[in-house]
């Protein structure tokens, strides 16, 4: 496997996120995580007041977004047009949430970019991660963002390990990725465009585009999923 497949331009169509100016300057997408908080603050200051409402310190919410009661949203945070934030959601800050997204009941976000049309609708934890356009995490699917020994996270690509320099790094999901219910994406997981992760899976490392990761750890091309 070629580590060039993990580059930002290989995983994402940047026309579907307000984070495009931040991400287009990266070689690998996780390089944006350490700059995300400052980026959101500066972007928030430029948002049109006729379209966005500022609610609290460094929190900007589009006026068409549907924010249900009984949730918590901390800044810096931007929530885009037509997005739903459902009851019990816990947005801890450094969250850039795109248009037409669903942040579901009891879902927790922290230091994340959600591209447009992302769904994390039920009991999900997404931390130190980037979820591409129209990606979806099934109920109870989680990103684990810290190794048990607290050492910096690496991304395994075949026999190679790519150093990230980050102690907190969850998952990079490319555009149109599907993650099944109750799966765990271990620190340093990268899933290529259009790939699927089966329910009840535990995954780490890199899954190339157009593949399926089965809960046995086997990977097969998407068209051979039977």
């Amino acid at each position: 496997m070629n580590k060039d497949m993990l580059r930002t331009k290989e995983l994402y169509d940047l026309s579907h996120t307000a984070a495009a100016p931040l991400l287009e300057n990266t070689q690998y997408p996780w390089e944006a995580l350490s700059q995300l908080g400052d980026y959101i603050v500066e972007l928030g200051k430029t948002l049109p007041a006729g379209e966005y409402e500022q609610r609290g310190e460094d929190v900007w919410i589009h006026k068409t977004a549907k924010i249900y009661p009984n949730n918590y949203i901390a800044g810096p945070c931007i929530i885009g047009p037509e997005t739903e934030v459902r009851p019990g959601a816990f947005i801890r800050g450094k969250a850039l949430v795109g248009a037409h997204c669903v942040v579901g009941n009891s879902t927790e976000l922290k230091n994340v970019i959600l591209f447009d049309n992302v769904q994390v609708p039920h009991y999900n934890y997404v931390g130190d991660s980037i979820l591409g356009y129209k990606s979806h995490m099934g109920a109870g699917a989680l990103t684990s963002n810290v190794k048990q020994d607290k050492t910096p996270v690496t991304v395994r690509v075949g026999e190679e390990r790519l150093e990230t320099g980050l102690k907190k790094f969850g998952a990079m999901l490319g555009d149109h990725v599907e993650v099944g219910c109750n799966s765990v994406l271990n620190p340093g997981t990268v899933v290529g465009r259009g790939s699927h992760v089966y329910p009840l899976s535990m995954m780490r490392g890199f899954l190339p585009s157009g593949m399926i990761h089965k809960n046995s750890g086997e990977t097969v091309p998407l068209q051979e999923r039977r």
Side-chain angles (χ1 to χ4, degrees), residues 72-91:
Y72 177 86
I73 303 174
C77 176
I78 296 173
I79 296 174
E82 305 292 340
T83 283
E84 291 186 14
V85 179
R86 294 175 176 169
F90 180 28
I91 301 179

Side-chain angles (χ1 to χ4, degrees), residues 87-107:
F90 180 28
I91 301 179
R92 291 168 49 192
K94 298 183 182 179
L96 180 53
V97 181
H100 304 284
C101 294
V102 176
V103 180
N105 58 300
S106 303
T107 290

